[in-house]
Amino acid sequence: STRLKRFCVAVACWLCVSVFAMATECQVSDIQERQSPSTATNDSEEQSTDPKVAASPRRRCPDSFFLQEGIGSRGLPVEGAWLYNLEAASVPVPSGKMKLVALPVFWLICLAWGTFQRKAQLHWHVPGEPGQQVVFERSLPGGWQVLLNACCVVALSAYAIGAYLLSQRTMEKVLNPLFTPRTWAGHASVAALMFAVAIGSSFLLRSNWVVGAAGLFLFIGWALCGRTVQESTSGHGQVGLGPSRADTDIGMSCHKDGAAVESGMSGQRTFKARLLAGDAGVAASGGRLRFAIVQAEPEAVGDDAVLLEQVQDGKFTYHAPCGRSNIFRWDCLLVCMAAFGPNLPSFIIGAGSFNQCVGVLELLCALIYVPVGYSCFAVWGFRLGLTCRASTGIVMIITFWPVINLMLGGKGCATLVHLIAQQYLPQIWSPSATTFEFNRGFASCSEYAYSLGGETLLVASTTIAAWVHIMSNFSFLFGFVCGLVRKHRNGVETDTEPLVTVA
């Protein structure tokens, strides 16, 4: 508790310093822009006939670096962000056949690591409950119970595999509208919910690991695949980059509609962007659309992306924003640090095989997490996490790649194999047994789960809990390795996609 209090105090201090620094930067920016010689003009030029221009201060437009800008906005331009999640890539995605070949290799590596990890933890007496043994009487005839056990393992495994195969469809139909809403109110509501899930889950890891881990990675999945989009452009060239046509931006230094509104400003404002792969479709005018990562100012770190339209002469014009991943916002980073940071040692040493609490809560949380987590981490592991250095770096920092992924992947594979191999429940496949032993997690949780659903609930909860950590870490491990190898093949450096200048 003392460490947690100190951490919270440190986060609060950092928050105050960050807010002060941001406010100071805005004030300095305002003064510099007002006093800049490049914008000085004669008295006649300084007078504007537009009352909005005359009333508006010359300053940088808002940028959603700390929180979502544009309170009350409706009809946010989210289509580009949705399309970016579905199609953008920097390298070709591995084929289905390659994934089928890689999956058994991943499984064997994780199983070997998980088995070694478990033995080492028991030998070194890692803090936590490795599993208490309890004995129950079977409430059903042995043959029927074995059949139910087999159906649970097969059906829930098929559910997890199906969720992985349908991850693209889940992202398109469910997660894109949910994680990147069209309204500011919707975005703020989802963000508040995810912040609460992250903070609440951080307190459950010692009493119910699967529920706590599922909540934390649900938050991380939203932070990675949810995208911040605003109506106006930014002084950093972020989020809504390009010609800002929002009325609220009139009179600001970033406003442009054919020509700059401010007197003395150049009408030709351009920016640089690095083209990505992926099918972005065709614009209404017939030009090909391309995804691109904005080359922002050095202090503006993020994966800000846009849709560009390629015209006939080979040049590119701005078409629509694709937004910025939520993980690059300060509020998301601070919540991630507060929820994930104090528990980082537990993830690094692989404490996920300890402190299990089988039951209805574990079952329901795992059923919810699997389609959401699989979709988010498949999208990020195979495609979006490789689009720029900021995206790759943020994932490697958060997950200590590949340490935590290997730890959790090993835990998931080992849990499923140990269940099937009769280590958690020795009588799982024995039709003649009248009693059975169960030794996964806390005894109190096992006893309560048995009172609700008998042996069937114990088997079902353990099965889906194992799948929580399998395919999402497969995406991070295999997807990242495959993508990085392709990026660096033959000595090719990262970020070698064509760099273009956009009008």
Side-chain angles (χ1 to χ4, degrees):
S1 60
T2 303
R3 292 181 179 178
L4 181 60
K5 290 179 181 178
R6 291 178 180 176
F7 178 79
C8 292
V9 171
V11 170
C13 294
W14 187 11
L15 179 62
C16 294
V17 171
S18 300
V19 173
F20 176 77
M22 292 170 62
T24 304
E25 179 185 0
C26 292
Q27 293 175 1
V28 173
S29 176
D30 294 347
I31 296 173
Q32 289 177 345
E33 290 187 3
R34 291 192 184 102
Q35 296 179 350
S36 175
S38 62
T39 60
T41 56
N42 56 42
D43 295 336
S44 61
E45 291 176 332
E46 288 178 353
Q47 301 298 325
S48 174
T49 58
D50 193 331
K52 292 183 178 179
V53 177
S56 299
R58 295 266 299 279
R59 60 181 177 82
R60 289 187 174 187
C61 291
D63 187 11
S64 302
F65 251 125
F66 189 75
L67 48 83
Q68 175 81 2
E69 293 286 353
I71 297 178
S73 298
R74 296 187 178 186
L76 293 172
V78 297
E79 290 79 6
W82 293 356
L83 188 61
Y84 182 83
N85 278 346
L86 296 175
E87 300 292 344
S90 62
V91 293
V93 177
S95 63
K97 293 181 179 179
M98 184 179 293
K99 292 180 182 179
L100 287 176
V101 172
L103 183 58
V105 178
F106 161 82
W107 193 286
L108 291 175
I109 293 174
C110 286
L111 180 60
W113 180 263
T115 303
F116 164 76
Q117 171 184 311
R118 175 76 173 180
K119 292 180 179 179
Q121 289 169 339
L122 294 175
H123 177 73
W124 292 333
H125 302 287
V126 172
E129 177 51 56
Q132 298 172 337
Q133 181 172 323
V134 288
V135 180
F136 302 106
E137 289 189 4
R138 273 186 168 165
S139 56
L140 295 176
W144 284 105
Q145 187 61 62
V146 169
L147 179 61
L148 280 176
N149 293 343
C151 290
C152 284
V153 173
V154 172
L156 291 173
S157 298
Y159 170 79
I161 295 173
Y164 184 77
L165 295 176
L166 296 174
S167 59
Q168 186 80 349
R169 182 64 60 87
T170 303
M171 178 61 67
E172 177 184 4
K173 300 296 184 180
V174 179
L175 299 184
N176 264 340
L178 180 63
F179 285 176
T180 311
R182 291 183 180 275
T183 65
W184 183 92
H187 183 98
S189 300
V190 174
L193 175 62
M194 288 300 169
F195 291 168
V197 167
I199 298 299
S201 299
S202 66
F203 294 99
L204 296 175
L205 290 173
R206 294 185 180 181
S207 60
N208 195 330
W209 175 273
V210 173
V211 172
L216 282 176
F217 282 100
L218 186 68
F219 162 76
I220 292 178
W222 165 81
L224 293 176
C225 291
R227 301 191 69 80
T228 297
V229 182
Q230 64 187 51
E231 291 179 329
S232 62
T233 188
S234 156
H236 287 282
Q238 301 284 290
V239 183
L241 181 80
S244 175
R245 298 179 177 86
D247 291 339
T248 54
D249 287 350
I250 293 179
M252 298 185 184
S253 61
C254 55
H255 186 83
K256 170 189 170 186
D257 188 3
V261 170
E262 301 90 337
S263 56
M265 294 289 292
S266 170
Q268 299 298 323
R269 297 174 63 82
T270 62
F271 63 92
K272 293 185 179 296
R274 195 173 295 278
L275 297 179
L276 298 174
D279 183 13
V282 179
S285 60
R288 181 190 177 190
L289 295 178
R290 296 289 303 273
F291 296 109
I293 294 291
V294 177
Q295 302 300 291
E297 295 182 11
E299 68 271 18
V301 179
D303 66 339
D304 301 83
V306 290
L307 275 174
L308 305 179
E309 182 177 351
Q310 187 171 1
V311 293
Q312 294 181 354
D313 57 358
K315 296 182 179 180
F316 292 87
T317 59
Y318 172 82
H319 182 77
C322 296
R324 177 200 298 128
S325 176
N326 292 334
I327 194 64
F328 294 105
R329 282 208 333 245
W330 277 103
D331 56 346
C332 293
L333 280 174
L334 291 173
V335 171
C336 185
M337 291 176 59
F340 198 72
N343 299 294
L344 188 59
S346 298
F347 283 97
I348 292 177
I349 65 175
S353 59
F354 286 48
N355 303 330
Q356 307 291 298
C357 185
V358 66
V360 174
L361 184 60
E362 181 184 69
L363 176 66
L364 293 178
C365 289
L367 287 173
I368 295 172
Y369 169 80
V370 163
V372 178
Y374 282 12
S375 300
C376 291
F377 296 127
V379 166
W380 199 267
F382 283 102
R383 295 191 289 107
L384 300 190
L386 300 165
T387 53
C388 64
R389 293 177 180 177
S391 300
T392 305
I394 198 70
V395 172
M396 288 188 169
I397 292 172
I398 290 177
T399 64
F400 271 64
W401 190 89
V403 176
I404 293 179
N405 305 107
L406 191 59
M407 294 287 186
L408 294 179
K411 183 262 179 185
C413 294
T415 297
L416 186 59
V417 170
H418 290 168
L419 175 66
I420 297 174
Q422 309 177 66
Q423 294 189 32
Y424 288 134
L425 205 163
Q427 296 80 21
I428 187 173
W429 310 125
S430 176
S432 61
T434 57
T435 62
F436 67 93
E437 302 171 0
F438 189 76
N439 57 21
R440 174 179 171 261
F442 297 104
S444 58
C445 295
S446 302
E447 292 169 354
Y448 184 67
Y450 174 78
S451 68
L452 294 177
E455 183 179 346
T456 306
L457 179 56
L458 298 177
V459 173
S461 182
T462 302
T463 301
I464 196 63
W467 281 102
V468 163
H469 295 306
I470 295 178
M471 297 307 296
S472 54
N473 288 288
F474 169 73
S475 297
F476 264 136
L477 289 173
F478 173 65
F480 258 51
V481 169
C482 185
L484 291 175
V485 168
R486 293 190 178 192
K487 270 183 169 288
H488 294 275
R489 182 179 295 170
N490 300 325
V492 176
E493 296 182 356
T494 308
D495 292 343
T496 57
E497 293 82 359
L499 185 64
V500 298
T501 300
V502 185

